[in-house]
Amino acid sequence: MDNAILRKRSSTFKTEGGSVTRVSDELLIDILRAWESWGGTAREFHESLGLSKGQLGGLMNKAKKLCREGNIVLGDFKEIKLDSIIGSGSPCGIEMSWEQGRVIYYRMPKLAMLLIQSRVDGSYLRLLKRIAKTQILIIDDFGVGKLSQDHVTDLLELVEDRYDVGSTIITAQLPPDEWHDYLG
């Protein structure tokens, strides 16, 4: 959905003092979905919606709560990006930032699926670039489930792009001496 439309829709929930109140669940989820596919910075996003950083953070927290409580289903893979560190059980994919940089967390099976989906929808290079430039990448559940040759190629390309850029943390259900066989 176009951010200009989201801006107009969100303006209907603004008070004369500029506060955002009683935002509909539908708009919360639409903003969350737009944020998930956003390729720019957080500042550009909240400014494009006519919201402050704090207002956007509050709306994202409400949208995330709706999803967590099962009121809204976003699909198999969800990536939620916020401008503050949050604590939330076991997310599928999450991006957090703090004053020293950015952290992205993915479960390996969901990351593999996201990389394949991004090839199909044409956002593959943009996704690789965004993940590559993050300061810390955490890949969880490496070794759970079989990887296709495409998944292996994508993963190795991602790791190569991150060389000398930031740290990559991999948690595995597989001993390191079995990684070569696992990757084929």
Side-chain angles (χ1 to χ4, degrees):
M1 179 174 290
D2 183 28
N3 284 7
I5 294 170
L6 289 175
R7 180 184 190 125
K8 187 171 185 169
R9 288 176 59 202
S10 65
S11 71
T12 63
F13 295 95
K14 281 191 175 182
T15 65
E16 287 183 15
S19 298
V20 180
T21 61
R22 293 184 257 186
V23 177
S24 70
D25 293 351
E26 180 183 347
L27 179 58
L28 290 172
I29 297 307
D30 287 345
I31 291 172
L32 178 61
R33 287 183 176 146
W35 181 234
E36 290 174 348
S37 62
W38 182 255
T41 66
R43 172 174 283 184
E44 292 168 342
F45 185 76
H46 73 75
E47 288 176 354
S48 74
L49 296 178
L51 300 170
S52 71
K53 181 179 177 181
Q55 289 171 327
L56 178 62
L59 295 177
M60 297 297 280
N61 284 335
K62 289 177 185 176
K64 185 174 168 238
K65 182 178 179 186
L66 287 171
C67 296
R68 197 174 44 239
E69 292 174 351
N71 297 327
I72 305 292
V73 178
L74 289 178
D76 190 29
F77 185 89
K78 50 187 170 241
E79 177 185 355
I80 303 169
K81 303 180 282 187
L82 299 175
D83 280 339
S84 62
I85 295 179
I86 60 172
S88 65
S90 178
C92 295
I94 191 160
E95 184 173 326
M96 301 174 281
S97 63
W98 77 108
E99 56 275 356
Q100 290 85 21
R102 190 165 293 248
V103 178
I104 299 179
Y105 167 94
Y106 290 107
R107 290 187 60 248
M108 184 62 219
K110 301 295 181 178
L111 175 60
M113 183 61 72
L114 178 65
L115 288 166
I116 295 298
Q117 288 173 348
S118 70
R119 280 186 184 274
V120 172
D121 70 18
S123 63
Y124 179 74
L125 294 177
R126 188 176 64 205
L127 176 65
L128 282 183
K129 184 178 178 182
R130 186 170 53 84
I131 293 173
K133 69 182 179 181
T134 192
Q135 186 151 3
I136 301 172
L137 172 65
I138 302 170
I139 300 174
D140 192 14
D141 289 341
F142 181 80
V144 174
K146 185 140 177 78
L147 294 179
S148 70
Q149 190 57 48
D150 285 340
H151 292 135
V152 172
T153 301
D154 289 341
L155 179 62
L156 294 175
E157 187 168 336
L158 182 63
V159 171
E160 181 181 344
D161 287 349
R162 292 187 45 72
Y163 183 77
D164 275 344
V165 174
S167 299
T168 303
I169 300 169
I170 299 175
T171 64
Q173 307 298 321
L174 198 62
D177 60 345
E178 295 180 24
W179 287 19
H180 285 282
D181 292 336
Y182 178 71
L183 293 172

